[in-house]
Amino acid sequence: MREFVFTVEYERGVDEVMDLFIENPDLHSKTMAIHATSESMWRLDRLTGPTEALEAFDEVIEQATRCNGVLGMCGAPVVEWDYEVLSETPNGRIVYSCREEGDGIQSIPHVAAKHIGDGLLMQAERRGAQNQWRLLISDDDTVSEIYEEVKDSLSDGLSLSVQRISEPECWLEEGVSADGLPPEQQAALEAAVEFGYYETPRQHTVKEISEELDIPNSTLQYRLTRAEAWLARQFVTDTLGTEVEERVDPEKLEASA
């Protein structure tokens, strides 16, 4: 299987929902599940961000689902759109949506479903002006077909870039894994949690924990600092950020396919 990662970038004013992401850099959306056929698409998305931005998102989506003139990403008319907030907190949402598009040009999930067929697996992530898509595809011919149709179907103000076509990566690394953390740093974190270092108020200091473990205070502090930095990078990479990689030249894509 191959992983096809590409991004659609929006100009301001092209799409009301994406304008919210452009105006609120801390607003982030990532699919928990997404499925599509040639007729319909349904998905679960986790949104995180400032309370004000999420409230504005709620208003925009509620208006959009009631409007008969809504267009899909590539300009196809949306003939039916169901939307429901399944879980809500001040800084997060889990939302369900299901929609059907009319005849003509279709949005990316429908294009992918048409070319991949049964067994379609995909992910989507929105931040800022970018909506990034990841597809699992069995052959390069399908990659080329999807790329060409999406490129030709984009509405004005949208641009397409390809990040990579490679062996699957993100599908195998979902969530924070401790595999890349050295054993001594794992042990330091476990001890810090056990002794209440991360509780509020803090139950023990680094010095007190190091004395219990019979290791130098500076050594334990170093291991905790390194482990915390690793966890922070993992969290941002796996949970918040879209991939930032060298863009693939479309001519090279077509040649490889």
Side-chain angles (χ1 to χ4, degrees), residues 167-251:
E167 296 300 315
E169 294 181 11
C170 67
W171 307 84
L172 306 179
E173 299 292 341
E174 191 64 27
V176 176
S177 168
D179 291 346
L181 195 62
E184 62 272 14
Q185 293 179 23
Q186 291 186 40
L189 278 178
E190 291 170 359
V193 171
E194 180 181 351
F195 283 97
Y197 178 73
Y198 295 107
E199 299 293 332
T200 304
R202 184 166 289 166
Q203 297 179 11
H204 290 85
T205 65
V206 170
K207 181 179 180 181
E208 292 170 339
I209 299 173
S210 66
E211 290 174 353
E212 290 288 338
L213 300 178
D214 195 25
I215 61 175
N217 176 57
S218 59
T219 299
L220 179 61
Q221 184 64 69
Y222 172 80
R223 291 174 180 175
L224 282 177
T225 300
R226 296 289 293 176
E228 290 164 357
W230 181 87
L231 285 172
R233 288 193 298 271
Q234 285 289 102
F235 176 76
V236 170
T237 299
D238 297 339
T239 309
L240 296 180
T242 55
E243 297 185 37
V244 180
E245 300 188 32
E246 182 180 357
R247 296 187 173 185
V248 177
D249 187 333
E251 294 183 1

Side-chain angles (χ1 to χ4, degrees), residues 37 74 105-116 145-147 149-150 153:
T37 67
C74 298
I105 293 173
Q106 293 185 307
S107 296
I108 286 173
H110 298 287
V111 173
K114 178 173 67 175
H115 290 284
I116 297 176
E145 291 167 358
I146 292 174
Y147 171 81
E149 184 163 348
V150 171
S153 301

Side-chain angles (χ1 to χ4, degrees), residues 112-123:
K114 178 173 67 175
H115 290 284
I116 297 176
D118 293 342
L120 169 64
L121 288 172
M122 63 193 312
Q123 296 178 345

Side-chain angles (χ1 to χ4, degrees), residues 86-146:
L86 303 182
S87 174
E88 179 177 349
T89 67
N91 298 110
R93 302 281 191 279
I94 295 177
V95 297
Y96 163 84
S97 63
C98 178
R99 73 185 195 183
E100 297 181 18
E101 294 183 356
D103 297 331
I105 293 173
Q106 293 185 307
S107 296
I108 286 173
H110 298 287
V111 173
K114 178 173 67 175
H115 290 284
I116 297 176
D118 293 342
L120 169 64
L121 288 172
M122 63 193 312
Q123 296 178 345
E125 191 166 2
R126 288 182 288 184
R127 180 185 290 278
Q130 296 185 339
N131 191 356
Q132 187 171 91
W133 297 84
R134 300 180 179 95
L135 305 177
L136 277 184
I137 298 177
S138 59
D139 62 88
D140 287 343
D141 287 341
T142 304
V143 170
S144 181
E145 291 167 358
I146 292 174

